[in-house]
Amino acid sequence: MLTISQLAAYAGVTVRAVRHYHQIGLLPEPERDASGYRRYSAGAVVSLIRIRILANAGVPLSQIGQMLEADASTFAAAIEEIDRQLDDEIARLEASRKQIAQLAAGDRLALAPEVITYLDRLRDIGVSERVIAGERDSWILMSARWPDRVREWMPGKIAQLDDPQLIRLYRILSEIFESDTSDDARLVEAADILASLAEQAYRSGEIDLGEVARDDLPFDLLDALAVEADPRVQRLLDLMRERGWDGLARLERLAEPPT
Amino acid sequence: MLTISQLAAYAGVTVRAVRHYHQIGLLPEPERDASGYRRYSAGAVVSLIRIRILANAGVPLSQIGQMLEADASTFAAAIEEIDRQLDDEIARLEASRKQIAQLAAGDRLALAPEVITYLDRLRDIGVSERVIAGERDSWILMSARWPDRVREWMPGKIAQLDDPQLIRLYRILSEIFESDTSDDARLVEAADILASLAEQAYRSGEIDLGEVARDDLPFDLLDALAVEADPRVQRLLDLMRERGWDGLARLERLAEPPT
DNA sequence: GCTTGACCTTGACGCTGCGTCAACCCTCCA
DNA sequence: TGGAGGGTTGACGCAGCGTCAAGGTCAAGC
């Protein structure tokens, strides 16, 4: 008769594992000797080895019991099912690996290459890092909400960066948010340019972003994000409202502009 | 300000997950409103999305905090480490899949194809299923102890099945263990054949199994297994001992046979 | 003003497969 | 006879939440 550690050694498992199998009823509890020790027969070694073979093959312990008792066809069906699950798991992990390969640098986190290009273009134009960080966070939100649409929008956004008015706007915003003082005149200037750009876009119908619902919340969220990043953005929002526009990330015509 | 369910919805996670991230300190707890509800800023959405991106890429939650704060090179090193771990995990699962593909039928469980062939040969010879089951269990034990050596031994074992004496032995054993009566004469006959075979093997030096230690326990275990399967095996062991041989699975010369 | 349903709170167990103490008993060998 | 090296049960820990339980809160309709 064998002790638990001998049994475990023969089967190549730990003593703890054997006791675990007893607990969950996978391996029957053997008789105890006078001192309460478990005493195993040679057959237990075979049982334990058969359990380990299935476990090593990735079969969950909870299914091994039934499988050892099953007939050939039931067994085969179970094997097939396990195989499918293993395959799924492998697919999941490989998807993870692909994801992780994308995460080259912290800056790129979550962003499609098109967006990275856009941010780099802003940097070229001379936009301050603070404003770029704000843009980046906005695009992280947008990407989470519309992962596919964002990539479609980017070429248009990048093309817009050729517009001298827009470049001027970004430079003014950079100056404003890079300084610690409150320069209201510059904020007014920014608002004027923004309103002008919005007016152009409105006339040419460019504002249409496709099927993105007008009342979908992310745009409010984007504005809130900007205000959080710098409270002076609130003043900008107010100025825009005076000019007949609601919001910032997504301008909404409130009324005909005062003529 | 957002409620926890709004936050969760924006980031595409469950409320429970958000609370979990608070618990483990991954996402900072926000202020509470008058009634004790958590109230989130827009920035929290960005934080949460960044967390999920890493988590989806397979980064353990326990490491995400540091990674979000790390500089580019630390980040890259961490990514590489995670990638290695994912790769290991995938390799493990694929090994499992290969294992599982081997487990076509319950009978083959744990046995190399050579052993299956051997068992099939026994069946051809007319050995009873009960004896074959005993053989199978024995080989399961042997395979667990010496997975590689077993495959080397099998060709020799299969060749031995051409020996008429051995065939006769197996048939007698089949008859004995298939009947419920105790036919001592047959047991004696079996013992005589076995002793004769052992003597031949001993003279020709075939008994040497290579580096397998003589006192390695599995042989005792095999004998015990056989006795468990049928107590009449004990009588066979006794008869062999009378003939100067110890053991059954691995015959050990006790003394020169009585002349 | 009251009910109803949806949403918030903390606390705690469950899942998987054991590893790892803790606290104590048993056996064997010098 | 003492100490080393077995054995015993019991319980927590691990990862990442899912899922009750047992309430308090809010907004809306009557």
Side-chain angles (χ1 to χ4, degrees), chain A residues 10 41-42 53 83 97 110 217 228, chain B residues 10 41-42 53 83 110 217 228:
Chain A
Y10 280 134
S41 64
I53 287 162
D83 191 60
R97 277 198 81 192
L217 279 147
E228 273 173 29
Chain B
Y10 280 135
S41 65
I53 287 162
D83 191 59
L217 279 147
E228 274 172 29

Side-chain angles (χ1 to χ4, degrees), chain A residues 45-220:
Chain A
V45 181
V46 176
S47 301
L48 187 47
I49 289 174
R50 292 164 62 100
I51 288 170
R52 281 314 308 174
I53 287 162
L54 288 173
N56 288 338
V59 180
L61 295 189
S62 56
Q63 294 184 35
I64 290 180
Q66 309 157 30
M67 288 194 55
L68 286 176
E69 290 171 4
D71 59 58
S73 72
T74 313
F75 186 92
I79 287 284
E80 209 168 321
E81 172 62 16
I82 305 284
D83 191 60
R84 249 198 309 280
Q85 289 175 10
L86 281 177
D87 203 28
D88 288 355
E89 183 69 10
I90 289 173
R92 266 201 31 233
L93 290 179
E94 295 200 324
S96 285
R97 277 198 81 192
K98 275 184 195 156
Q99 292 271 354
I100 219 173
Q102 303 283 335
L103 308 180
D107 200 37
R108 309 185 165 232
L109 209 53
L111 295 175
E114 289 88 342
V115 180
I116 301 295
T117 306
Y118 179 72
L119 295 178
D120 286 342
R121 284 295 310 278
L122 288 180
R123 208 168 267 123
D124 293 342
I125 288 170
V127 177
S128 76
E129 285 304 319
R130 197 175 304 190
V131 171
I132 290 178
E135 283 277 337
R136 188 202 58 195
D137 282 359
S138 298
W139 287 108
I140 287 179
L141 284 181
M142 299 284 279
S143 300
R145 183 67 189 79
W146 300 290
D148 300 322
R149 311 300 305 275
V150 161
R151 305 188 65 168
E152 296 168 17
W153 296 334
M154 293 323 292
K157 294 293 292 182
I158 291 174
Q160 284 174 19
L161 291 182
D162 291 330
D163 181 347
Q165 267 201 97
L166 188 59
I167 293 175
R168 173 143 182 76
L169 172 63
Y170 264 122
R171 286 188 177 148
I172 292 173
L173 291 175
S174 294
E175 284 176 31
I176 293 170
F177 297 121
E178 214 59 38
S179 81
D180 291 337
T181 63
S182 172
D183 186 345
D184 203 61
R186 284 206 170 280
L187 277 168
V188 170
E189 192 179 349
D192 285 337
I193 299 176
L194 196 47
S196 158
L197 286 167
E199 190 65 28
Q200 285 171 32
Y202 181 74
R203 290 233 181 83
S204 64
E206 274 175 28
I207 278 185
D208 185 23
L209 289 177
E211 287 158 23
V212 171
R214 225 155 298 273
D215 57 347
D216 221 337
L217 279 147
F219 295 108
D220 290 348

Side-chain angles (χ1 to χ4, degrees), chain B residues 9 30 33 37 76-77 116 134 139 143 149 185 187 202 224 230 236:
Chain B
D33 68 11
Y37 288 13
I116 302 294
W139 288 107
S143 301
R149 311 299 306 276
L187 277 168
Y202 182 74
D230 196 313
L236 198 55

Side-chain angles (χ1 to χ4, degrees), chain A residues 3-5 19 32 36-38:
Chain A
T3 67
I4 195 169
S5 59
R19 287 204 265 250
R32 306 299 182 103
Y37 288 14
R38 294 179 179 84

Side-chain angles (χ1 to χ4, degrees), chain B residues 109-137:
Chain B
L109 209 53
L111 295 175
E114 289 88 344
V115 180
I116 302 294
T117 305
Y118 179 71
L119 295 178
D120 286 343
R121 284 295 309 277
L122 288 180
R123 208 168 268 123
D124 292 343
I125 288 170
V127 178
S128 76
E129 286 304 320
R130 197 176 304 190
V131 171
I132 290 178
E135 283 277 338
R136 188 202 59 195
D137 282 359

Side-chain angles (χ1 to χ4, degrees), chain B residues 1-4 7 18 22 27-30 38-42 44:
Chain B
M1 301 300 273
L2 310 171
T3 68
I4 194 169
L7 169 70
V18 175
H22 287 323
L27 191 67
E29 283 271 3
R38 295 179 179 84
R39 288 296 176 169
Y40 296 89
S41 65

Side-chain angles (χ1 to χ4, degrees), chain B residues 10 13-15 20 35 54 107 172 187 194 198 204 208 239 256:
Chain B
Y10 280 135
V13 306
T14 66
V15 170
H20 184 60
S35 61
L54 288 174
D107 201 36
I172 293 174
L187 277 168
L194 197 47
S204 63
D208 185 23
L239 289 169
E256 285 305 304

